[in-house]
Amino acid sequence: MTNNTFFKMGIVVLTLILTGCVPHNIINEVSLMHNLGYDKEDEMLKASVVYPNYAESDNPALITAAAKNPSSLQEELSHKSQFPFEIGQVRLMIFGDQLSREGLAPILDTICKDPKIGIIRIVITDGTPELLLSKTMKESPLFLMDLIEKSIENEGIPESDLHVMYDQFFGTGIDMSFPNLTVDSKDRIKVEGMGIFKDDKLALRISEEETFLLKLMTDTNKRGVYSFNLDMNGHKANIGVRTINGKHKIRITRENLRDQVNVSLNLDVELDALPEWINPEKEKDLKLFKNSLQKSISNEAESLLKKFQTNGVDPLGIGRRYKANHRNYSELSFYDRIYPSMTCDVTTKITVRQTGVGK
C-alpha cells in the first residue's frame, strides 16, 4: 500500500473513534425545549418551558420551575420531567415583564456560555411567559416562532435573534430592543410594539407604529405598512402604504458647535386602496401625496428619535457611530452629556413602484 492509502485509512479509523466519543440521546428519551420563558416571582427566578410530550400525547406540555439562580433552574426543571431536558432545540426565548425591569444580565450571562443554544428568536412580554405559553397549548410548538418570523419578514418588526442580542448587549454605543408579545382580551397572542433596554433593564416600550419607524431606520428589510393622516384637495383620510424596499443612512455632523444626527430614508412603496379623490396617474395628485407622506414619516421619525433621547436609550446605535470618529470616546460621557443635546433631522424620499391601478 502507498503512504496515501495508509493516510486515508487512518482518517477513517480516527473518525469512527471520535464519533463513538460523542454522547448520543434517543429522541424519545429526552424532553426537547421548544419555547423557554424566564421571569421573576417574588425573589425567585422562574422558568416556563413548552416541549413535545411524545411519551403521553401528541400535544405539547408546559412545565414551570423556580430557583434562586439560573444554574439551579435546569435541575429544578429536570426534577419535574420524566426525561432530561435538552436546550439545543429552543426556538424562542421569552422574558417576562418583572425580570425585564429588574435586569436580564444573570440569564444572558448564562445562555451566552451554553454552546448548545443556536440561533433563536428573543422576545419580551408585558405579562408573564407562563401566561403567554399557556395560550399556545393547542397550537404547534413552533406557533410563536412562526408568528415572530412572519412579523419580522413582512409586518414592520425589526430583526431580533440571539446574534443581534449579543451584538447589542456586549457592544458599546447601542442598546437592546426586543419585540413585545401580548395576550389580548380574547386570549389571542399578537406582536405589539417593542421594548427598549438600557443596559440590561427595560427602560421604554414603543407602539406598533413607532416600531415600524425604528425598523425603517435600522433594518435592511423595510417591508411593512405605514399609516398616516392625509389632508389633500379639501379631503381628509387615513391612508396605509406598504413599503417594499428601501435604504437608510445615518450620519453625525456638527453644526453651530452642536452635534446633529442626520437620517436619510429612501423608500419604495406600493399604493393600494386609495380614495377615489386621489388619482395617482395625475402628476399633481401624485406629487402632493408623496410630499405629505414624506413629511409625515420624517416628522414622526424625528419625534421618535427625541423620545429615545429623553429616555436615555439608543436602539439605533448613535453612540457606536459617534465612537467611530472620536478616538477618546467614553460611553458614560456620551450618554450623559452629548447624546441628550444632539439635534435630529430626518429626510425621506418616496418612490412609488406600484399604484394598484388596474388591479
Side-chain angles (χ1 to χ4, degrees):
M1 293 184 184
T2 64
N3 290 336
N4 190 38
T5 304
F6 278 117
F7 177 75
K8 290 179 179 176
M9 290 177 64
I11 292 293
V12 172
V13 172
L14 183 60
T15 302
L16 291 173
I17 292 174
L18 292 177
T19 303
C21 295
V22 176
H24 289 83
N25 289 317
I26 300 173
I27 189 69
N28 286 340
E29 296 180 359
V30 294
S31 297
L32 297 173
M33 299 181 183
H34 278 168
N35 300 315
L36 173 59
Y38 290 105
D39 203 2
K40 287 290 290 290
E41 189 174 80
D42 299 325
E43 295 303 316
M44 304 284 277
L45 275 174
K46 185 175 183 180
S48 304
V49 175
V50 169
Y51 64 100
N53 189 11
Y54 298 123
E56 298 180 7
S57 70
D58 293 332
N59 295 324
L62 171 64
I63 195 170
T64 63
K68 291 183 178 180
N69 59 71
S71 299
S72 300
L73 266 179
Q74 181 87 7
E75 186 177 356
E76 290 296 325
L77 284 169
S78 296
H79 289 165
K80 297 184 176 182
S81 173
Q82 182 180 3
F83 302 113
F85 278 104
E86 279 293 329
I87 200 170
Q89 291 299 312
V90 169
R91 292 292 178 262
L92 186 76
M93 191 169 289
I94 308 164
F95 296 116
D97 186 64
Q98 186 175 344
L99 180 65
S100 298
R101 294 181 186 282
E102 293 185 17
L104 303 181
I107 299 296
L108 299 184
D109 287 341
T110 301
I111 64 174
C112 76
K113 295 172 184 172
D114 193 334
K116 292 181 180 178
I117 299 179
I119 297 177
I120 59 176
R121 296 294 185 190
I122 309 281
V123 299
I124 62 170
T125 177
D126 50 13
T128 66
E130 184 179 4
L131 172 65
L132 191 73
L133 293 173
S134 69
K135 306 298 181 185
T136 67
M137 290 298 96
K138 294 182 181 179
E139 307 287 350
S140 156
L142 301 180
F143 167 75
L144 288 180
M145 190 197 72
D146 291 341
L147 178 68
I148 292 295
E149 296 269 358
K150 175 178 66 72
S151 299
I152 289 174
E153 183 63 29
N154 293 308
E155 297 170 4
I157 301 297
E159 184 66 50
S160 174
D161 63 23
L162 198 64
H163 287 174
V164 173
M165 185 274 288
Y166 283 160
D167 178 52
Q168 295 175 340
F169 181 57
F170 292 105
T172 58
I174 191 168
D175 290 321
M176 296 190 297
S177 55
F178 301 121
N180 179 59
L181 286 178
T182 189
V183 180
D184 68 14
S185 58
K186 297 182 178 178
D187 282 349
R188 292 176 301 199
I189 298 173
K190 63 177 183 178
V191 186
E192 189 169 280
M194 292 193 81
I196 315 295
F197 285 67
K198 188 62 188 174
D199 298 325
D200 68 328
K201 294 182 175 61
L202 179 64
L204 174 69
R205 288 185 190 277
I206 59 174
S207 67
E208 190 175 345
E209 292 75 18
E210 291 170 324
T211 295
F212 183 50
L213 292 169
L214 175 61
K215 183 186 180 86
L216 292 180
M217 293 189 283
T218 54
D219 277 24
T220 53
N221 170 15
K222 303 196 183 300
R223 295 184 69 85
V225 174
Y226 176 76
S227 299
F228 73 111
N229 293 319
L230 177 64
D231 186 350
M232 179 176 141
N233 296 335
H235 300 278
K236 294 182 180 180
N238 186 270
I239 308 290
V241 296
R242 175 169 287 279
T243 56
I244 53 177
N245 208 341
K247 293 181 180 179
H248 70 273
K249 188 173 183 179
I250 301 175
R251 293 183 303 115
I252 297 177
T253 58
R254 190 168 179 80
E255 295 182 10
N256 300 323
L257 301 177
R258 203 171 181 188
D259 292 300
Q260 177 168 312
V261 181
N262 301 282
V263 181
S264 58
L265 298 172
N266 287 283
L267 304 174
D268 298 340
V269 304
E270 62 180 17
L271 310 178
D272 291 325
L274 291 177
E276 60 183 12
W277 43 269
I278 301 176
N279 185 353
E281 291 186 317
K282 288 184 177 180
E283 186 177 346
K284 180 184 175 184
D285 276 12
L286 188 60
K287 185 177 180 181
L288 287 172
F289 182 85
K290 286 170 60 177
N291 287 342
S292 296
L293 177 58
Q294 290 168 168
K295 184 178 179 181
S296 179
I297 292 177
S298 296
N299 289 344
E300 292 192 3
E302 284 179 9
S303 296
L304 182 60
L305 291 175
K306 290 172 184 172
K307 189 173 184 176
F308 291 152
Q309 286 179 292
T310 303
N311 287 274
V313 295
D314 180 16
L316 270 74
I318 303 299
R320 179 173 291 182
R321 294 174 186 277
Y322 185 86
K323 177 185 176 183
N325 295 312
H326 294 80
R327 184 179 299 176
N328 298 321
Y329 172 83
S330 159
E331 190 173 53
L332 181 63
S333 173
F334 175 76
Y335 287 112
D336 276 353
R337 186 172 52 83
I338 301 172
Y339 185 55
S341 64
M342 285 178 146
T343 57
C344 303
D345 180 62
V346 180
T347 57
T348 306
K349 181 181 178 183
I350 297 293
T351 302
V352 176
R353 296 297 182 189
Q354 298 178 39
T355 62
V357 174
K359 284 186 178 179

